[in-house]
Amino acid sequence: MDNSNTLQNRRFVGIKETLIYGFANGGQCMSYTFMSSWLVYFFVSVFKIDPEAVSFMIFVVGIWDTINDPIMGSIIDRTRTRFGKLRPWLLVVPIPLAIATVMLFSGPELLADEPVNSVKRIVYMYVSYIIWELFYTIGDVPFWGLSASISPNPKERTNAITSARFISSILGGLPGIVISPLIDLAKDGKIDVPLHTMFFVMGLVVSIVGMAIFSLAGIFVKERVVSLSDEPKFTDSMRFLFKNKPLMMIILSNVLGALGGIGGIFSTYYYIDVLGSATVSLFIGIPGTIVGFVSYLMIPYFKNRWDNRKIMILTGLYTAAIPIAVYFVGIKYASNIWIIAPVLAIQGALTAIVSAIRMVVPTEMISDTVDYMEWKTGKRSEGMAFSVLTFVGKLSGSIQKSIGTALLGASFVGYIIVEGVDHVPQTDATKAWIWAFFTIIPAVLGLLGIIPYLAYDLVGDKLKKIRDDLDARRMAVVQSENDGKAGE
């Protein structure tokens, strides 16, 4: 059978558009990665709010996201304009999202005279973070929905997702490269700049630069796979969502594996309070960064050898085993920067071997679930499906941050915060707990995320049949349109 004329084998997306899609995500991630990496540290150590209050706020916003994201997904699926249903949102959201980011990091500046844990500080934290989450959702759901509608060709979708993940790994990390040495210089008294001013300026920069780049997606990237059905009702979208078993398995995997991310909450505190240097994290990360870039070249190897389900299971086991081993290797030297830094650098390099595939494949699997539901019901719901991607990502992040922050403030960990002092020495017991929560504990908990993939069946012959059937349907529509034009 000659497949050269099928839609899933034609070329629709050029290199320029693929790169633009990637750079747009990089711009978005300049603010998102800065937020996600430093949010807890900012609220606890810069804004001076108790970990318990921050933990509860993150939990509340996580509940808000369970409502916010699916509603936004349904609204997107009901959008019908000459620009498509995804691009209009990407055209309007960058400016309000930039303003919301600046607003969030302005809290310590605006409320500098307020005492620690004052009602005004806590209210400002809630309002600014909820507003930021709202506008981030409005931009993130249609952006990732675009990865499924940019082309009917699965390889071009993978290329677009790979571009987005690769470029965002570069641009998204830039704010951290700047802020880490500044924190150390301030801690050592070499610069007289308070932490709240550093974070405000960085928030301003990532807002302006990042959102300017993010706006490229709405301007230059096209939607090519359009919905052939009428606007779905919200109730229909929700019903289709829960009928999508493969998508449910992805959701469950992320939720169960969410506790595996609490190590990210403790990483900042480990470098600053245990090793005594935020900057050292940049040097430790260099081998992993280099290997991570190279790992994108290995995606075809992984995909030719295993299907997506096996990839996620095998790489999940691999990435859990490494920090477990590191914990025992470094348990006696967790505070010795000269011994532990090389160990962590090796850990980063080994983990980075599969980092690209673990970022690209889950997003690709979401696109497959969109095709699955179109094949099964005749309705295409990128908005609802990718609202799940963003919702699950934020829910997992909320679980990680909420529980991680609560653990930081737990009496057995004993983390100390002093009003008016940016850097407080911690006890040896506290440092030992931070080391454990940085390595072995999240690794063991993260293994739970592997279990649902055992029931994920959108692979092999089943996936091929779905793609072939959808291709035939789309070709029939194209032929019908051509026949109609010929008859005019």
Side-chain angles (χ1 to χ4, degrees):
M1 178 180 176
D2 182 11
N3 291 322
S4 60
N5 291 323
T6 61
L7 294 177
Q8 62 179 306
N9 288 285
R10 291 184 188 176
R11 182 175 180 180
F12 294 89
V13 185
I15 295 176
K16 178 180 178 181
E17 188 176 356
T18 301
L19 290 174
I20 288 175
Y21 186 74
F23 273 102
N25 190 46
Q28 182 192 33
C29 284
M30 287 184 71
S31 61
Y32 175 75
T33 304
F34 182 57
M35 281 281 298
S36 62
S37 300
W38 294 93
L39 183 69
V40 172
Y41 183 81
F42 171 75
F43 281 140
V44 173
S45 301
V46 181
F47 209 176
K48 300 297 182 181
I49 299 174
D50 275 347
E52 292 84 354
V54 176
S55 173
F56 187 72
M57 183 276 298
I58 294 172
F59 172 76
V60 170
V61 175
I63 296 175
W64 157 243
D65 282 333
T66 65
I67 304 170
N68 175 35
D69 286 58
I71 290 177
M72 187 61 209
S74 179
I75 292 173
I76 289 172
D77 284 332
R78 291 174 59 82
T79 301
R80 297 291 187 272
T81 74
R82 65 188 181 91
F83 298 105
K85 66 181 183 181
L86 304 165
R87 289 181 63 205
W89 300 98
L90 296 174
L91 290 169
V92 302
V93 77
I95 291 177
L97 181 54
I99 294 172
T101 304
V102 174
M103 175 184 170
L104 189 146
F105 286 106
S106 299
E109 295 283 341
L110 297 175
L111 302 175
D113 296 330
E114 289 292 321
V116 170
N117 288 321
S118 70
V119 173
K120 287 184 179 180
R121 287 191 183 220
I122 293 175
V123 169
Y124 191 95
M125 173 180 68
Y126 271 88
V127 172
S128 62
Y129 190 47
I130 288 173
I131 291 175
W132 185 87
E133 281 283 357
L134 172 63
F135 285 112
Y136 181 78
T137 296
I138 294 174
D140 200 43
V141 173
F143 177 83
W144 287 112
L146 202 55
S147 70
S149 65
I150 193 172
S151 173
N153 185 327
K155 291 183 180 179
E156 291 186 334
R157 293 182 189 177
T158 301
N159 290 340
I161 296 169
T162 301
S163 174
R165 296 301 189 185
F166 176 75
I167 296 176
S168 67
S169 68
I170 300 173
L171 297 184
L174 294 180
I177 293 176
V178 175
I179 198 75
S180 295
L182 290 178
I183 290 174
D184 286 341
L185 291 172
K187 177 168 63 69
D188 296 338
K190 295 181 180 179
I191 59 174
D192 187 21
V193 180
L195 287 178
H196 60 81
T197 301
M198 291 183 192
F199 276 85
F200 170 73
V201 172
M202 186 59 63
L204 187 65
V205 171
V206 299
S207 299
I208 296 173
V209 177
M211 289 303 103
I213 299 173
F214 181 50
S215 66
L216 297 175
I219 298 172
F220 295 108
V221 181
K222 298 179 180 179
E223 291 181 50
R224 294 179 176 85
V225 182
V226 299
S227 178
L228 301 178
S229 61
D230 296 330
E231 299 177 11
K233 297 179 181 178
F234 177 73
T235 53
D236 290 338
S237 296
M238 292 300 296
R239 187 168 64 253
F240 293 149
L241 176 64
F242 287 102
K243 286 184 177 180
N244 193 333
K245 178 185 173 182
L247 184 58
M248 290 296 102
M249 292 302 100
I250 296 173
I251 295 172
L252 187 58
S253 172
N254 280 269
V255 172
L256 290 177
L259 292 179
I262 62 174
I265 304 302
F266 284 87
S267 63
T268 300
Y269 291 95
Y270 174 72
Y271 289 120
I272 293 175
D273 294 310
V274 180
L275 287 187
S277 172
T279 306
V280 74
S281 65
L282 303 179
F283 295 100
I284 289 173
I286 289 175
T289 301
I290 295 172
V291 175
F293 291 155
V294 176
S295 71
Y296 282 90
L297 301 176
M298 298 177 63
I299 291 177
Y301 169 80
F302 281 99
K303 292 187 68 63
N304 288 333
R305 190 174 182 86
W306 299 298
D307 59 45
N308 288 340
R309 176 180 58 194
K310 290 181 180 178
I311 286 173
M312 295 307 297
I313 293 172
L314 293 174
T315 57
L317 293 171
Y318 173 78
T319 54
I322 296 171
I324 292 174
V326 166
Y327 171 78
F328 290 106
V329 169
I331 191 171
K332 293 182 179 180
Y333 309 101
S335 299
N336 189 324
I337 193 171
W338 300 107
I339 294 177
I340 206 65
V343 173
L344 294 178
I346 294 171
Q347 174 189 345
L350 292 174
T351 303
I353 293 173
V354 298
S355 62
I357 197 72
R358 287 188 64 81
M359 287 190 292
V360 171
V361 165
T363 309
E364 183 181 293
M365 293 167 78
I366 296 285
S367 296
D368 289 338
T369 68
V370 174
D371 286 346
Y372 167 71
M373 286 308 289
E374 182 183 7
W375 173 75
K376 186 176 180 180
T377 68
K379 298 181 182 295
R380 188 169 182 85
S381 302
E382 290 98 340
M384 186 58 73
F386 281 91
S387 74
V388 171
L389 173 67
T390 60
F391 156 66
V392 169
K394 290 191 290 185
L395 176 62
S396 300
S398 295
I399 293 173
Q400 295 160 7
K401 292 184 178 68
S402 179
I403 294 179
T405 308
L407 289 169
L408 181 68
S411 58
F412 68 88
V413 175
Y415 191 81
I416 303 170
I417 301 172
V418 177
E419 180 177 0
V421 180
D422 283 339
H423 305 284
V424 181
Q426 304 297 324
T427 67
D428 289 340
T430 297
K431 292 179 181 180
W433 276 112
I434 291 175
W435 170 248
F437 279 116
F438 177 54
T439 53
I440 189 170
I441 294 176
V444 172
L445 294 174
L447 288 170
L448 293 172
I450 294 175
I451 298 172
Y453 283 119
L454 299 174
Y456 181 89
D457 63 351
L458 209 54
V459 294
D461 292 338
K462 181 175 181 177
L463 182 58
K464 182 179 184 304
K465 176 176 172 54
I466 290 171
R467 289 175 173 172
D468 289 344
D469 287 352
L470 287 178
D471 194 276
R473 293 182 197 176
R474 292 166 185 158
M475 288 292 291
V477 172
V478 171
Q479 185 61 46
S480 177
E481 291 176 350
N482 291 337
D483 290 343
K485 291 177 182 179
E488 292 178 356

